PDB file of all heavy atoms in Angstrom:
ATOM      1  N   GLY A   1       0.811  -1.216   0.000  1.00 96.00           N
ATOM      2  CA  GLY A   1       0.000   0.000   0.000  1.00 96.00           C
ATOM      3  C   GLY A   1       0.838   1.257   0.000  1.00 96.00           C
ATOM      4  O   GLY A   1       2.067   1.235  -0.004  1.00 96.00           O
ATOM      5  N   GLY A   2       0.130   2.406  -0.007  1.00 95.00           N
ATOM      6  CA  GLY A   2       0.810   3.684   0.056  1.00 95.00           C
ATOM      7  C   GLY A   2       0.642   4.509  -1.206  1.00 95.00           C
ATOM      8  O   GLY A   2      -0.068   4.131  -2.138  1.00 95.00           O
ATOM      9  N   ASP A   3       1.316   5.654  -1.211  1.00 93.00           N
ATOM     10  CA  ASP A   3       1.218   6.601  -2.318  1.00 93.00           C
ATOM     11  C   ASP A   3       2.528   6.621  -3.093  1.00 93.00           C
ATOM     12  O   ASP A   3       3.290   5.640  -3.076  1.00 93.00           O
ATOM     13  CB  ASP A   3       0.829   7.987  -1.799  1.00 93.00           C
ATOM     14  CG  ASP A   3       1.779   8.494  -0.712  1.00 93.00           C
ATOM     15  OD1 ASP A   3       2.935   8.014  -0.632  1.00 93.00           O
ATOM     16  OD2 ASP A   3       1.371   9.373   0.072  1.00 93.00           O
ATOM     17  N   LEU A   4       2.817   7.734  -3.766  1.00 92.00           N
ATOM     18  CA  LEU A   4       4.018   7.823  -4.588  1.00 92.00           C
ATOM     19  C   LEU A   4       5.298   7.656  -3.776  1.00 92.00           C
ATOM     20  O   LEU A   4       6.321   7.210  -4.298  1.00 92.00           O
ATOM     21  CB  LEU A   4       4.049   9.160  -5.333  1.00 92.00           C
ATOM     22  CG  LEU A   4       3.024   9.328  -6.456  1.00 92.00           C
ATOM     23  CD1 LEU A   4       3.093  10.749  -7.023  1.00 92.00           C
ATOM     24  CD2 LEU A   4       3.258   8.307  -7.564  1.00 92.00           C
ATOM     25  N   ARG A   5       5.245   7.989  -2.486  1.00 93.00           N
ATOM     26  CA  ARG A   5       6.428   7.792  -1.646  1.00 93.00           C
ATOM     27  C   ARG A   5       6.799   6.318  -1.566  1.00 93.00           C
ATOM     28  O   ARG A   5       7.968   5.945  -1.691  1.00 93.00           O
ATOM     29  CB  ARG A   5       6.184   8.332  -0.240  1.00 93.00           C
ATOM     30  CG  ARG A   5       6.144   9.824  -0.131  1.00 93.00           C
ATOM     31  CD  ARG A   5       5.695  10.278   1.236  1.00 93.00           C
ATOM     32  NE  ARG A   5       4.275  10.048   1.442  1.00 93.00           N
ATOM     33  CZ  ARG A   5       3.594  10.500   2.477  1.00 93.00           C
ATOM     34  NH1 ARG A   5       4.208  11.177   3.427  1.00 93.00           N
ATOM     35  NH2 ARG A   5       2.295  10.275   2.606  1.00 93.00           N
ATOM     36  N   GLN A   6       5.777   5.472  -1.348  1.00 95.00           N
ATOM     37  CA  GLN A   6       6.041   4.038  -1.251  1.00 95.00           C
ATOM     38  C   GLN A   6       6.432   3.452  -2.609  1.00 95.00           C
ATOM     39  O   GLN A   6       7.232   2.522  -2.677  1.00 95.00           O
ATOM     40  CB  GLN A   6       4.819   3.310  -0.687  1.00 95.00           C
ATOM     41  CG  GLN A   6       4.756   3.278   0.826  1.00 95.00           C
ATOM     42  CD  GLN A   6       4.478   4.638   1.424  1.00 95.00           C
ATOM     43  OE1 GLN A   6       3.753   5.454   0.856  1.00 95.00           O
ATOM     44  NE2 GLN A   6       5.072   4.927   2.571  1.00 95.00           N
ATOM     45  N   GLU A   7       5.868   4.000  -3.663  1.00 94.00           N
ATOM     46  CA  GLU A   7       6.262   3.539  -5.002  1.00 94.00           C
ATOM     47  C   GLU A   7       7.743   3.803  -5.241  1.00 94.00           C
ATOM     48  O   GLU A   7       8.481   2.935  -5.718  1.00 94.00           O
ATOM     49  CB  GLU A   7       5.423   4.238  -6.066  1.00 94.00           C
ATOM     50  CG  GLU A   7       5.726   3.784  -7.480  1.00 94.00           C
ATOM     51  CD  GLU A   7       4.862   4.510  -8.498  1.00 94.00           C
ATOM     52  OE1 GLU A   7       5.258   5.609  -8.931  1.00 94.00           O
ATOM     53  OE2 GLU A   7       3.792   3.980  -8.850  1.00 94.00           O
ATOM     54  N   LYS A   8       8.200   5.011  -4.916  1.00 94.00           N
ATOM     55  CA  LYS A   8       9.615   5.342  -5.074  1.00 94.00           C
ATOM     56  C   LYS A   8      10.470   4.566  -4.081  1.00 94.00           C
ATOM     57  O   LYS A   8      11.600   4.163  -4.397  1.00 94.00           O
ATOM     58  CB  LYS A   8       9.817   6.842  -4.887  1.00 94.00           C
ATOM     59  CG  LYS A   8       9.136   7.690  -5.947  1.00 94.00           C
ATOM     60  CD  LYS A   8       9.637   7.337  -7.352  1.00 94.00           C
ATOM     61  CE  LYS A   8       8.964   8.182  -8.411  1.00 94.00           C
ATOM     62  NZ  LYS A   8       9.395   7.820  -9.791  1.00 94.00           N
ATOM     63  N   LEU A   9       9.960   4.351  -2.868  1.00 96.00           N
ATOM     64  CA  LEU A   9      10.667   3.554  -1.872  1.00 96.00           C
ATOM     65  C   LEU A   9      10.949   2.155  -2.407  1.00 96.00           C
ATOM     66  O   LEU A   9      12.083   1.655  -2.311  1.00 96.00           O
ATOM     67  CB  LEU A   9       9.833   3.476  -0.592  1.00 96.00           C
ATOM     68  CG  LEU A   9      10.249   2.441   0.452  1.00 96.00           C
ATOM     69  CD1 LEU A   9      11.614   2.771   1.015  1.00 96.00           C
ATOM     70  CD2 LEU A   9       9.206   2.352   1.565  1.00 96.00           C
ATOM     71  N   ALA A  10       9.923   1.508  -2.980  1.00 96.00           N
ATOM     72  CA  ALA A  10      10.094   0.161  -3.518  1.00 96.00           C
ATOM     73  C   ALA A  10      11.155   0.146  -4.617  1.00 96.00           C
ATOM     74  O   ALA A  10      12.013  -0.752  -4.673  1.00 96.00           O
ATOM     75  CB  ALA A  10       8.762  -0.356  -4.061  1.00 96.00           C
ATOM     76  N   GLN A  11      11.119   1.147  -5.478  1.00 95.00           N
ATOM     77  CA  GLN A  11      12.098   1.239  -6.562  1.00 95.00           C
ATOM     78  C   GLN A  11      13.512   1.398  -6.005  1.00 95.00           C
ATOM     79  O   GLN A  11      14.453   0.723  -6.462  1.00 95.00           O
ATOM     80  CB  GLN A  11      11.751   2.408  -7.470  1.00 95.00           C
ATOM     81  CG  GLN A  11      12.731   2.630  -8.614  1.00 95.00           C
ATOM     82  CD  GLN A  11      12.353   3.843  -9.453  1.00 95.00           C
ATOM     83  OE1 GLN A  11      11.177   4.149  -9.628  1.00 95.00           O
ATOM     84  NE2 GLN A  11      13.350   4.528  -9.965  1.00 95.00           N
ATOM     85  N   LEU A  12      13.679   2.252  -5.032  1.00 95.00           N
ATOM     86  CA  LEU A  12      15.004   2.487  -4.449  1.00 95.00           C
ATOM     87  C   LEU A  12      15.538   1.249  -3.742  1.00 95.00           C
ATOM     88  O   LEU A  12      16.737   0.937  -3.829  1.00 95.00           O
ATOM     89  CB  LEU A  12      14.926   3.657  -3.468  1.00 95.00           C
ATOM     90  CG  LEU A  12      14.669   5.035  -4.085  1.00 95.00           C
ATOM     91  CD1 LEU A  12      14.346   6.053  -2.992  1.00 95.00           C
ATOM     92  CD2 LEU A  12      15.861   5.494  -4.908  1.00 95.00           C
ATOM     93  N   LEU A  13      14.655   0.535  -3.044  1.00 96.00           N
ATOM     94  CA  LEU A  13      15.080  -0.697  -2.373  1.00 96.00           C
ATOM     95  C   LEU A  13      15.556  -1.743  -3.376  1.00 96.00           C
ATOM     96  O   LEU A  13      16.557  -2.438  -3.156  1.00 96.00           O
ATOM     97  CB  LEU A  13      13.932  -1.253  -1.532  1.00 96.00           C
ATOM     98  CG  LEU A  13      13.535  -0.443  -0.294  1.00 96.00           C
ATOM     99  CD1 LEU A  13      12.218  -0.943   0.277  1.00 96.00           C
ATOM    100  CD2 LEU A  13      14.634  -0.504   0.763  1.00 96.00           C
ATOM    101  N   ALA A  14      14.838  -1.856  -4.492  1.00 95.00           N
ATOM    102  CA  ALA A  14      15.237  -2.805  -5.532  1.00 95.00           C
ATOM    103  C   ALA A  14      16.574  -2.389  -6.153  1.00 95.00           C
ATOM    104  O   ALA A  14      17.438  -3.240  -6.433  1.00 95.00           O
ATOM    105  CB  ALA A  14      14.150  -2.896  -6.599  1.00 95.00           C
ATOM    106  N   GLU A  15      16.752  -1.111  -6.377  1.00 94.00           N
ATOM    107  CA  GLU A  15      18.011  -0.625  -6.939  1.00 94.00           C
ATOM    108  C   GLU A  15      19.179  -0.869  -5.995  1.00 94.00           C
ATOM    109  O   GLU A  15      20.330  -0.985  -6.447  1.00 94.00           O
ATOM    110  CB  GLU A  15      17.891   0.866  -7.269  1.00 94.00           C
ATOM    111  CG  GLU A  15      16.963   1.146  -8.438  1.00 94.00           C
ATOM    112  CD  GLU A  15      16.717   2.634  -8.656  1.00 94.00           C
ATOM    113  OE1 GLU A  15      17.136   3.436  -7.787  1.00 94.00           O
ATOM    114  OE2 GLU A  15      16.097   2.989  -9.672  1.00 94.00           O
ATOM    115  N   ASP A  16      18.897  -0.988  -4.697  1.00 95.00           N
ATOM    116  CA  ASP A  16      19.936  -1.304  -3.715  1.00 95.00           C
ATOM    117  C   ASP A  16      20.273  -2.790  -3.677  1.00 95.00           C
ATOM    118  O   ASP A  16      21.138  -3.203  -2.894  1.00 95.00           O
ATOM    119  CB  ASP A  16      19.488  -0.859  -2.320  1.00 95.00           C
ATOM    120  CG  ASP A  16      19.584   0.651  -2.131  1.00 95.00           C
ATOM    121  OD1 ASP A  16      20.219   1.321  -2.966  1.00 95.00           O
ATOM    122  OD2 ASP A  16      19.014   1.153  -1.150  1.00 95.00           O
ATOM    123  N   GLY A  17      19.596  -3.590  -4.482  1.00 95.00           N
ATOM    124  CA  GLY A  17      19.906  -5.010  -4.568  1.00 95.00           C
ATOM    125  C   GLY A  17      18.995  -5.928  -3.798  1.00 95.00           C
ATOM    126  O   GLY A  17      19.229  -7.149  -3.757  1.00 95.00           O
ATOM    127  N   HIS A  18      17.924  -5.419  -3.195  1.00 96.00           N
ATOM    128  CA  HIS A  18      16.985  -6.258  -2.472  1.00 96.00           C
ATOM    129  C   HIS A  18      15.935  -6.826  -3.426  1.00 96.00           C
ATOM    130  O   HIS A  18      15.662  -6.269  -4.496  1.00 96.00           O
ATOM    131  CB  HIS A  18      16.298  -5.453  -1.367  1.00 96.00           C
ATOM    132  CG  HIS A  18      17.261  -4.850  -0.399  1.00 96.00           C
ATOM    133  ND1 HIS A  18      18.033  -5.597   0.461  1.00 96.00           N
ATOM    134  CD2 HIS A  18      17.594  -3.541  -0.160  1.00 96.00           C
ATOM    135  CE1 HIS A  18      18.790  -4.800   1.193  1.00 96.00           C
ATOM    136  NE2 HIS A  18      18.540  -3.544   0.836  1.00 96.00           N
ATOM    137  N   THR A  19      15.341  -7.950  -3.027  1.00 96.00           N
ATOM    138  CA  THR A  19      14.199  -8.498  -3.757  1.00 96.00           C
ATOM    139  C   THR A  19      12.954  -7.856  -3.190  1.00 96.00           C
ATOM    140  O   THR A  19      12.636  -8.022  -2.008  1.00 96.00           O
ATOM    141  CB  THR A  19      14.128 -10.027  -3.592  1.00 96.00           C
ATOM    142  OG1 THR A  19      15.320 -10.601  -4.112  1.00 96.00           O
ATOM    143  CG2 THR A  19      12.919 -10.588  -4.324  1.00 96.00           C
ATOM    144  N   VAL A  20      12.239  -7.112  -4.027  1.00 96.00           N
ATOM    145  CA  VAL A  20      11.143  -6.278  -3.537  1.00 96.00           C
ATOM    146  C   VAL A  20       9.840  -6.665  -4.223  1.00 96.00           C
ATOM    147  O   VAL A  20       9.776  -6.773  -5.453  1.00 96.00           O
ATOM    148  CB  VAL A  20      11.427  -4.776  -3.776  1.00 96.00           C
ATOM    149  CG1 VAL A  20      10.282  -3.923  -3.247  1.00 96.00           C
ATOM    150  CG2 VAL A  20      12.742  -4.379  -3.117  1.00 96.00           C
ATOM    151  N   HIS A  21       8.807  -6.878  -3.413  1.00 96.00           N
ATOM    152  CA  HIS A  21       7.460  -7.154  -3.912  1.00 96.00           C
ATOM    153  C   HIS A  21       6.554  -6.016  -3.448  1.00 96.00           C
ATOM    154  O   HIS A  21       6.672  -5.543  -2.320  1.00 96.00           O
ATOM    155  CB  HIS A  21       6.931  -8.476  -3.362  1.00 96.00           C
ATOM    156  CG  HIS A  21       7.823  -9.644  -3.629  1.00 96.00           C
ATOM    157  ND1 HIS A  21       7.652 -10.487  -4.691  1.00 96.00           N
ATOM    158  CD2 HIS A  21       8.913 -10.106  -2.944  1.00 96.00           C
ATOM    159  CE1 HIS A  21       8.586 -11.419  -4.673  1.00 96.00           C
ATOM    160  NE2 HIS A  21       9.366 -11.213  -3.620  1.00 96.00           N
ATOM    161  N   THR A  22       5.651  -5.599  -4.318  1.00 96.00           N
ATOM    162  CA  THR A  22       4.667  -4.593  -3.916  1.00 96.00           C
ATOM    163  C   THR A  22       3.276  -5.194  -4.003  1.00 96.00           C
ATOM    164  O   THR A  22       2.999  -6.076  -4.817  1.00 96.00           O
ATOM    165  CB  THR A  22       4.736  -3.338  -4.804  1.00 96.00           C
ATOM    166  OG1 THR A  22       4.363  -3.670  -6.149  1.00 96.00           O
ATOM    167  CG2 THR A  22       6.118  -2.725  -4.779  1.00 96.00           C
ATOM    168  N   TYR A  23       2.401  -4.702  -3.140  1.00 96.00           N
ATOM    169  CA  TYR A  23       1.006  -5.132  -3.129  1.00 96.00           C
ATOM    170  C   TYR A  23       0.146  -3.911  -2.826  1.00 96.00           C
ATOM    171  O   TYR A  23       0.498  -3.083  -1.983  1.00 96.00           O
ATOM    172  CB  TYR A  23       0.788  -6.213  -2.069  1.00 96.00           C
ATOM    173  CG  TYR A  23      -0.656  -6.628  -1.906  1.00 96.00           C
ATOM    174  CD1 TYR A  23      -1.284  -7.439  -2.851  1.00 96.00           C
ATOM    175  CD2 TYR A  23      -1.404  -6.188  -0.813  1.00 96.00           C
ATOM    176  CE1 TYR A  23      -2.616  -7.804  -2.709  1.00 96.00           C
ATOM    177  CE2 TYR A  23      -2.735  -6.549  -0.664  1.00 96.00           C
ATOM    178  CZ  TYR A  23      -3.332  -7.358  -1.618  1.00 96.00           C
ATOM    179  OH  TYR A  23      -4.655  -7.715  -1.477  1.00 96.00           O
ATOM    180  N   ALA A  24      -0.970  -3.790  -3.551  1.00 95.00           N
ATOM    181  CA  ALA A  24      -1.889  -2.658  -3.382  1.00 95.00           C
ATOM    182  C   ALA A  24      -1.182  -1.330  -3.640  1.00 95.00           C
ATOM    183  O   ALA A  24      -1.448  -0.321  -3.001  1.00 95.00           O
ATOM    184  CB  ALA A  24      -2.513  -2.662  -1.980  1.00 95.00           C
ATOM    185  N   LEU A  25      -0.262  -1.346  -4.598  1.00 92.00           N
ATOM    186  CA  LEU A  25       0.512  -0.157  -4.923  1.00 92.00           C
ATOM    187  C   LEU A  25       0.476   0.140  -6.421  1.00 92.00           C
ATOM    188  O   LEU A  25       1.227   0.981  -6.907  1.00 92.00           O
ATOM    189  CB  LEU A  25       1.970  -0.350  -4.458  1.00 92.00           C
ATOM    190  CG  LEU A  25       2.881   0.871  -4.340  1.00 92.00           C
ATOM    191  CD1 LEU A  25       2.271   1.945  -3.450  1.00 92.00           C
ATOM    192  CD2 LEU A  25       4.250   0.464  -3.821  1.00 92.00           C
ATOM    193  N   GLY A  26      -0.401  -0.532  -7.139  1.00 83.00           N
ATOM    194  CA  GLY A  26      -0.479  -0.325  -8.580  1.00 83.00           C
ATOM    195  C   GLY A  26       0.703  -0.959  -9.291  1.00 83.00           C
ATOM    196  O   GLY A  26       1.517  -1.668  -8.693  1.00 83.00           O
ATOM    197  N   GLN A  27       0.827  -0.687 -10.575  1.00 78.00           N
ATOM    198  CA  GLN A  27       1.933  -1.202 -11.368  1.00 78.00           C
ATOM    199  C   GLN A  27       3.100  -0.220 -11.339  1.00 78.00           C
ATOM    200  O   GLN A  27       2.901   0.990 -11.387  1.00 78.00           O
ATOM    201  CB  GLN A  27       1.496  -1.431 -12.813  1.00 78.00           C
ATOM    202  CG  GLN A  27       0.517  -2.580 -13.005  1.00 78.00           C
ATOM    203  CD  GLN A  27       1.109  -3.926 -12.613  1.00 78.00           C
ATOM    204  OE1 GLN A  27       2.276  -4.226 -12.900  1.00 78.00           O
ATOM    205  NE2 GLN A  27       0.301  -4.752 -11.944  1.00 78.00           N
ATOM    206  N   PRO A  28       4.343  -0.733 -11.252  1.00 73.00           N
ATOM    207  CA  PRO A  28       5.507   0.171 -11.263  1.00 73.00           C
ATOM    208  C   PRO A  28       5.513   1.026 -12.522  1.00 73.00           C
ATOM    209  O   PRO A  28       5.177   0.542 -13.618  1.00 73.00           O
ATOM    210  CB  PRO A  28       6.697  -0.792 -11.222  1.00 73.00           C
ATOM    211  CG  PRO A  28       6.154  -2.077 -10.673  1.00 73.00           C
ATOM    212  CD  PRO A  28       4.743  -2.157 -11.138  1.00 73.00           C
ATOM    213  N   GLN A  29       5.901   2.274 -12.397  1.00 69.00           N
ATOM    214  CA  GLN A  29       5.945   3.167 -13.546  1.00 69.00           C
ATOM    215  C   GLN A  29       7.089   2.841 -14.479  1.00 69.00           C
ATOM    216  O   GLN A  29       7.061   3.203 -15.653  1.00 69.00           O
ATOM    217  CB  GLN A  29       6.044   4.624 -13.072  1.00 69.00           C
ATOM    218  CG  GLN A  29       4.792   5.114 -12.357  1.00 69.00           C
ATOM    219  CD  GLN A  29       4.853   6.597 -12.029  1.00 69.00           C
ATOM    220  OE1 GLN A  29       5.836   7.278 -12.324  1.00 69.00           O
ATOM    221  NE2 GLN A  29       3.794   7.106 -11.420  1.00 69.00           N
ATOM    222  N   GLU A  30       8.117   2.177 -13.968  1.00 70.00           N
ATOM    223  CA  GLU A  30       9.227   1.747 -14.820  1.00 70.00           C
ATOM    224  C   GLU A  30       9.738   0.404 -14.325  1.00 70.00           C
ATOM    225  O   GLU A  30       9.654   0.078 -13.142  1.00 70.00           O
ATOM    226  CB  GLU A  30      10.345   2.788 -14.811  1.00 70.00           C
ATOM    227  CG  GLU A  30      10.867   3.146 -13.436  1.00 70.00           C
ATOM    228  CD  GLU A  30      11.903   4.247 -13.483  1.00 70.00           C
ATOM    229  OE1 GLU A  30      13.084   3.940 -13.785  1.00 70.00           O
ATOM    230  OE2 GLU A  30      11.534   5.405 -13.231  1.00 70.00           O
ATOM    231  N   ALA A  31      10.255  -0.385 -15.278  1.00 72.00           N
ATOM    232  CA  ALA A  31      10.744  -1.715 -14.941  1.00 72.00           C
ATOM    233  C   ALA A  31      12.069  -1.605 -14.195  1.00 72.00           C
ATOM    234  O   ALA A  31      12.986  -0.914 -14.644  1.00 72.00           O
ATOM    235  CB  ALA A  31      10.922  -2.542 -16.214  1.00 72.00           C
ATOM    236  N   VAL A  32      12.149  -2.273 -13.048  1.00 82.00           N
ATOM    237  CA  VAL A  32      13.365  -2.287 -12.242  1.00 82.00           C
ATOM    238  C   VAL A  32      13.662  -3.729 -11.875  1.00 82.00           C
ATOM    239  O   VAL A  32      12.781  -4.456 -11.408  1.00 82.00           O
ATOM    240  CB  VAL A  32      13.203  -1.441 -10.961  1.00 82.00           C
ATOM    241  CG1 VAL A  32      14.467  -1.507 -10.110  1.00 82.00           C
ATOM    242  CG2 VAL A  32      12.870  -0.001 -11.303  1.00 82.00           C
ATOM    243  N   SER A  33      14.889  -4.156 -12.098  1.00 85.00           N
ATOM    244  CA  SER A  33      15.282  -5.521 -11.758  1.00 85.00           C
ATOM    245  C   SER A  33      15.075  -5.773 -10.278  1.00 85.00           C
ATOM    246  O   SER A  33      15.475  -4.963  -9.430  1.00 85.00           O
ATOM    247  CB  SER A  33      16.752  -5.740 -12.127  1.00 85.00           C
ATOM    248  OG  SER A  33      17.185  -7.024 -11.749  1.00 85.00           O
ATOM    249  N   GLY A  34      14.425  -6.896  -9.947  1.00 87.00           N
ATOM    250  CA  GLY A  34      14.198  -7.253  -8.554  1.00 87.00           C
ATOM    251  C   GLY A  34      12.928  -6.702  -7.966  1.00 87.00           C
ATOM    252  O   GLY A  34      12.631  -6.950  -6.792  1.00 87.00           O
ATOM    253  N   LEU A  35      12.139  -5.967  -8.772  1.00 93.00           N
ATOM    254  CA  LEU A  35      10.899  -5.374  -8.281  1.00 93.00           C
ATOM    255  C   LEU A  35       9.716  -6.010  -8.993  1.00 93.00           C
ATOM    256  O   LEU A  35       9.632  -5.989 -10.226  1.00 93.00           O
ATOM    257  CB  LEU A  35      10.903  -3.865  -8.540  1.00 93.00           C
ATOM    258  CG  LEU A  35       9.627  -3.084  -8.181  1.00 93.00           C
ATOM    259  CD1 LEU A  35       9.303  -3.218  -6.701  1.00 93.00           C
ATOM    260  CD2 LEU A  35       9.777  -1.622  -8.571  1.00 93.00           C
ATOM    261  N   THR A  36       8.776  -6.571  -8.194  1.00 92.00           N
ATOM    262  CA  THR A  36       7.621  -7.266  -8.755  1.00 92.00           C
ATOM    263  C   THR A  36       6.346  -6.793  -8.086  1.00 92.00           C
ATOM    264  O   THR A  36       6.268  -6.750  -6.854  1.00 92.00           O
ATOM    265  CB  THR A  36       7.739  -8.795  -8.555  1.00 92.00           C
ATOM    266  OG1 THR A  36       8.991  -9.244  -9.079  1.00 92.00           O
ATOM    267  CG2 THR A  36       6.603  -9.519  -9.263  1.00 92.00           C
ATOM    268  N   ALA A  37       5.367  -6.442  -8.895  1.00 92.00           N
ATOM    269  CA  ALA A  37       4.044  -6.097  -8.370  1.00 92.00           C
ATOM    270  C   ALA A  37       3.229  -7.370  -8.232  1.00 92.00           C
ATOM    271  O   ALA A  37       3.094  -8.133  -9.194  1.00 92.00           O
ATOM    272  CB  ALA A  37       3.348  -5.113  -9.298  1.00 92.00           C
ATOM    273  N   GLU A  38       2.690  -7.626  -7.054  1.00 93.00           N
ATOM    274  CA  GLU A  38       1.961  -8.851  -6.771  1.00 93.00           C
ATOM    275  C   GLU A  38       0.461  -8.573  -6.672  1.00 93.00           C
ATOM    276  O   GLU A  38       0.036  -7.525  -6.180  1.00 93.00           O
ATOM    277  CB  GLU A  38       2.444  -9.473  -5.457  1.00 93.00           C
ATOM    278  CG  GLU A  38       3.937  -9.745  -5.401  1.00 93.00           C
ATOM    279  CD  GLU A  38       4.356 -10.936  -6.246  1.00 93.00           C
ATOM    280  OE1 GLU A  38       3.473 -11.593  -6.835  1.00 93.00           O
ATOM    281  OE2 GLU A  38       5.560 -11.217  -6.308  1.00 93.00           O
TER     282      GLU A  38
END
């Protein structure tokens, strides 16, 4: 969940090398390795 802050948070975490899943956050605006919308 969350707004644009959480969307950017998920992207930044993935860019740091973590495996990141999002839920109730819509589709990522850009493809990032390690980031998956569930």
Side-chain angles (χ1 to χ4, degrees):
D3 55 22
L4 290 175
R5 288 171 288 189
Q6 274 70 34
E7 182 180 86
K8 295 301 180 182
L9 167 65
Q11 178 182 326
L12 292 169
L13 291 168
E15 290 173 351
D16 284 347
H18 302 293
T19 300
V20 181
H21 305 264
T22 65
Y23 175 75
L25 196 55
Q27 291 297 319
Q29 293 186 0
E30 55 184 279
V32 178
S33 177
L35 176 60
T36 306
E38 304 286 357

